[in-house]
């Protein structure tokens, strides 16, 4: 159970961390009053939500092939 769950959680954590670093760098370069910064931040939030949804679907698919899911 933990191999599938751990993989999904680690992948989500890595992708969220990468997006957070991108937003942080954009904040340092553009500043928080820039419209581009807010557009980039909004895009990062949408991408993170999409990736979380896709990882959830993949986790359910992988989990359905394991013994603990069918109990």
């Amino acid at each position: 159970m933990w191999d599938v769950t751990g993989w999904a959680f680690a992948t989500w954590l890595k992708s969220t961390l990468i997006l957070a670093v991108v937003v942080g760098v954009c904040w340092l370069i553009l500043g928080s009053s820039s419209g581009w910064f807010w557009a980039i931040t909004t895009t990062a939030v949408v991408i993170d939500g999409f990736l979380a949804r896709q990882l959830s679907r993949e986790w359910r698919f992988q989990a359905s092939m394991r013994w603990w899911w069918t109990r």
Side-chain angles (χ1 to χ4, degrees):
M1 178 170 108
W2 290 110
D3 59 338
V4 176
T5 305
W7 167 82
F9 183 72
T11 303
W12 171 77
L13 196 59
K14 283 191 290 189
S15 65
T16 301
L17 183 62
I18 290 169
L19 289 171
V21 167
V22 167
V23 169
V25 168
C26 290
W27 174 68
L28 289 173
I29 293 172
L30 300 172
S32 62
S33 61
S34 172
W36 282 106
F37 168 73
W38 291 109
I40 291 167
T41 302
T42 303
T43 303
V45 168
V46 169
I47 289 172
D48 191 43
F50 176 76
L51 289 175
R53 182 177 172 179
Q54 295 305 317
L55 277 169
S56 171
R57 294 174 83 190
E58 180 67 22
W59 179 84
R60 284 192 304 256
F61 176 73
Q62 291 294 328
S64 68
M65 293 186 231
R66 309 278 198 236
W67 64 270
W68 50 267
W69 185 262
T70 58
R71 287 175 73 178

